[in-house]
Every structure is written in C-alpha cells, then in structure tokens.
C-alpha cells in the first residue's frame, strides 16, 4: 500500500491512503500526525523502501514553514510547531477540539522520520540541508516553550494532551495537563537527534572543512549546546517515569495535584506512554530493565482491558 500511495513528486500517504469511496473520505482524508502518518512509514527504511519516504521531506519542510506562524501566533515563540492533525495545506494550528488536536509534539514526531532517513542513508548533504534545519526549528521552539515547574525547575510541555486520552482528577475528567510521557519522550529524541546530527555534520568541529559552510549556517548547530542543557532538565532527564505500582506514567505527576490523578480507560487505543519503547529506543531490555518491566506492565494492562482493538493500534 505504501509503495502505491507514496512516491517522489506526490504527497505523503494520508490517513486513508489514495483510495476512498465517495467524494468525502473518512476523517476528510487528512493527516493524523499523532500516530497514523508516522506508523505508515515506520518500516519503510528498514525494508529498503527509501523512495516511498521521499514525499515526506518537502512536505515536512513546508509544514515547518507553516508552523513558524503557529509558533509565533499561538505561543509567542520562535521556531516552528505543528499539532495533532493537518491537511494538504499543512495547517499547523490545532484543528478542532483540544482533546483531539492539542498535541504540541506531534509535528516534531514526524520530523524524526527525516532523522531516520539520514541514519539509513548517511547522506551528509541531506543531513545539513534538509534534516538539521527542520530539527533546529523544532529545537528552537521547545527551548522557548518549555515551562519550569517545581523547586528544581524541571522543564515540561503544556498545556498539552496524551493523544485522545484523558485522566480523572477530583472526580472530573480532563484531557490537558503538563508534561505527558509522549511529549517528554519526543522532545528528548528531537534534542538528541539534533545534537547527534550536528556532531555527524562536521558543523561543530572547528577543524572540519564544513565549519562555516553555507550548509552549516542552515543547520544552525549553534543551538546544540542549549539543546543539551535543556534536555538535561526534562522530567527524569527525558526518560519515562514509573509510578508506585510499577507502570510507566502517561501523565506527569510532578505538578500540583497530579500525583492523585487516575486513568479511567486502561485499554485506550493509543499507546502513547510507550513511545520510549517504540518507535523510540530509550527503553531497552538489558540497558534499562526496570523501565522495560514497567512498559511490559502497561502493555499487558492495555491488552487485558481491550487495547489494540483497532488495526493500527494492534500494530503499535
């Protein structure tokens, strides 16, 4: 399906592909970037189908340009941001109710696919001209956007949501909070990709022939030091937190009152708190056994409560 729906010179595969019955596609044939677009491209590079990912690069660059307006108008911040859904016109603002759309890291999540393409191709020109400029804009946004909380000044996102999920606090249901597990993991990975990409590019090495080159100016690796410092101040240094019962926390408990929140739907179709397990790689069986066990418990609980009942959810 991906081979047929995503080729150079076309748009990326949307939520329902290029086939839809009738004039109006389900979900308007849009781009859900809170999991669905990402999932469609997860296996592409590993299966040596790089040509299917080629529409993502110009699409992502255009979305990031649109996202500059969203960042400035909505948050008064530099850089770029895009939210849970977008469309053919790359609208970067939250489209619809906040419980569906207010995912501040969803655009950054898609940008990580450019980094994956570089990791497979090792194309330095692609890295400096296409990947790093997009990542730099996201890094710049989050450096300005993250909010300090608590006595240690931990930096969290928010208000934002864990895609389409909710929590209960004082017997009331809420969707928005500060510092969800997905947000923290995505920000950590974007900062890490940018820092590693700058190291690979030669733009941080004064003896490199690339230093001072026009491509390095575009890459904006001068942000790498601040990205490293900011990453260290994320909750748990950007790694998942585990609650008192041994589960990965989906919602950050470090803000006032949130230590008492509960999740009403253990089988929710989105597996967002497990981003650090997949597609991220922070959670590894041997390197972080406690986190691996906590992730396993979340997965088992979700499946026990009906999670994975849709096709894409089962695949995740």
């Amino acid at each position: 399906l991906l081979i047929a729906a995503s080729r150079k010179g076309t748009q990326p595969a949307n939520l329902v592909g290029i086939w839809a019955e009738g004039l109006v596609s389900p979900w308007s044939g849009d781009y859900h970037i809170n999991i669905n677009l990402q999932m469609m491209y997860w296996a592409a590079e590993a299966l040596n189908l790089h040509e299917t990912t080629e529409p993502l690069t110009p699409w992502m660059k255009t979305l990031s340009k649109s996202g500059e307006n969203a960042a400035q108008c909505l948050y008064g911040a530099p850089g770029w941001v895009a939210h849970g859904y977008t469309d053919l016109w790359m609208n970067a603002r939250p489209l619809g109710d906040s419980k569906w759309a207010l995912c501040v890291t969803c655009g950054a999540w898609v940008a990580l696919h450019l980094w994956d393409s570089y990791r497979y191709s090792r194309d330095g020109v692609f890295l400096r001209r296409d990947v790093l400029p997009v990542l730099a804009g996201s890094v710049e946004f989050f450096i300005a956007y993250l909010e300090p909380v608590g006595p240690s000044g931990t930096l969290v996102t928010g208000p934002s949501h864990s895609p389409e999920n909710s929590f209960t606090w004082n017997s009331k249901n809420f969707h928005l909070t500060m510092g969800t597990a997905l947000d923290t993991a995505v920000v950590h990975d974007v900062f890490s990709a940018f820092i590693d990409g700058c190291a690979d590019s030669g733009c941080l090495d004064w003896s490199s022939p690339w230093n001072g080159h026009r491509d390095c100016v575009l890459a904006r690796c001068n942000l790498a030091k601040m990205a490293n410092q900011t990453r260290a101040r994320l909750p748990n240094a950007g790694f998942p937190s585990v609650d008192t019962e041994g589960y990965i926390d989906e919602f950050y408990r470090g803000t006032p009152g949130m230590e008492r929140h509960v999740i009403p739907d253990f089988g929710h179709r989105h597996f967002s708190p497990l981003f650090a397990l997949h597609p991220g790689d922070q959670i590894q069986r041997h390197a972080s056994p406690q986190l691996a066990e906590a992730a396993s418990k979340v997965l088992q609980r979700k499946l026990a409560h009906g999670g994975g009942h849709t096709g894409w959810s089962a695949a995740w």
Side-chain angles (χ1 to χ4, degrees):
L1 290 175
L2 186 62
I3 291 171
S6 182
R7 295 288 187 90
K8 185 176 182 179
T10 67
Q11 298 296 327
N14 64 21
L15 186 62
V16 294
I18 60 175
W19 303 276
E21 183 179 4
L23 295 177
V24 180
S25 301
W27 296 281
S28 300
D30 68 6
Y31 293 97
H32 277 40
I33 57 175
N34 62 8
I35 174 59
N36 305 90
L37 177 63
Q38 293 89 324
M39 177 174 282
M40 282 188 276
Y41 287 92
W42 273 348
E45 298 287 0
L47 295 176
N48 198 27
L49 295 174
H50 172 73
E51 64 271 22
T52 66
T53 72
E54 291 183 4
L56 277 178
T57 300
W59 186 88
M60 193 65 246
K61 291 169 76 172
T62 302
L63 181 65
S64 67
K65 288 298 182 183
S66 174
E68 292 175 1
N69 291 330
Q72 181 59 47
C73 293
L74 295 175
Y75 304 104
W80 68 270
V81 64
H83 299 80
Y85 312 129
T86 187
D87 51 30
L88 189 61
W89 295 271
M90 286 67 157
N91 198 324
R93 65 181 176 83
L95 300 178
D97 192 285
S98 60
K99 69 180 180 180
W100 308 112
L102 195 54
C103 172
V104 295
T105 55
C106 281
W109 183 357
V110 182
L112 286 170
H113 280 260
L114 303 189
W115 172 243
D116 285 343
S117 290
Y118 162 71
R119 292 172 72 190
Y120 277 89
S121 71
R122 310 306 292 181
D123 183 337
V125 174
F126 173 65
L127 172 66
R128 287 181 286 270
R129 294 184 181 179
D130 296 311
V131 182
L132 287 176
V134 171
L135 291 179
S138 182
V139 165
E140 185 179 33
F141 170 77
F142 285 113
I143 287 173
Y145 167 82
L146 292 168
E147 183 74 17
V149 297
S152 62
T154 298
L155 295 174
V156 298
T157 59
S160 184
H161 71 197
S162 187
E164 303 181 20
N165 205 354
S166 64
F167 61 92
T168 301
W169 182 75
N170 278 359
S171 301
K172 295 181 179 180
N173 207 46
F174 297 91
H175 294 89
L176 301 183
T177 185
M178 306 292 283
T180 67
L182 175 69
D183 281 358
T184 298
V186 170
V187 172
H188 173 277
D189 280 11
V190 167
F191 284 170
S192 297
F194 180 70
I195 293 165
D196 291 347
C198 285
D200 284 1
S201 72
C203 296
L204 293 178
D205 183 357
W206 289 104
S207 64
S208 168
W210 284 104
N211 193 280
H213 190 276
R214 175 181 177 275
D215 287 357
C216 283
V217 174
L218 293 174
R220 300 174 63 201
C221 287
N222 59 299
L223 293 169
K225 182 177 180 181
M226 181 61 73
N228 189 45
Q229 294 171 347
T230 306
R231 180 180 59 177
R233 293 178 59 191
L234 293 172
N236 203 27
F239 283 74
S241 299
V242 179
D243 68 17
T244 56
E245 296 180 358
Y247 295 90
I248 297 289
D249 258 330
E250 183 165 2
F251 299 97
Y252 181 58
R253 295 181 182 272
T255 51
M258 282 300 291
E259 66 276 2
R260 299 189 304 275
H261 82 267
V262 296
I263 299 176
D265 182 7
F266 287 140
H268 192 271
R269 62 194 174 279
H270 279 262
F271 285 62
S272 303
L274 297 183
F275 175 96
L277 176 66
H278 182 79
D281 60 4
Q282 290 175 300
I283 300 176
Q284 299 184 20
R285 185 176 177 183
H286 298 293
S288 51
Q290 181 189 16
L291 291 178
E293 175 61 26
S296 177
K297 291 186 68 172
V298 171
L299 184 59
Q300 292 173 32
R301 184 170 67 179
K302 276 187 171 290
L303 296 177
H305 288 81
H309 58 279
T310 63
W312 63 265
S313 183
W316 195 354

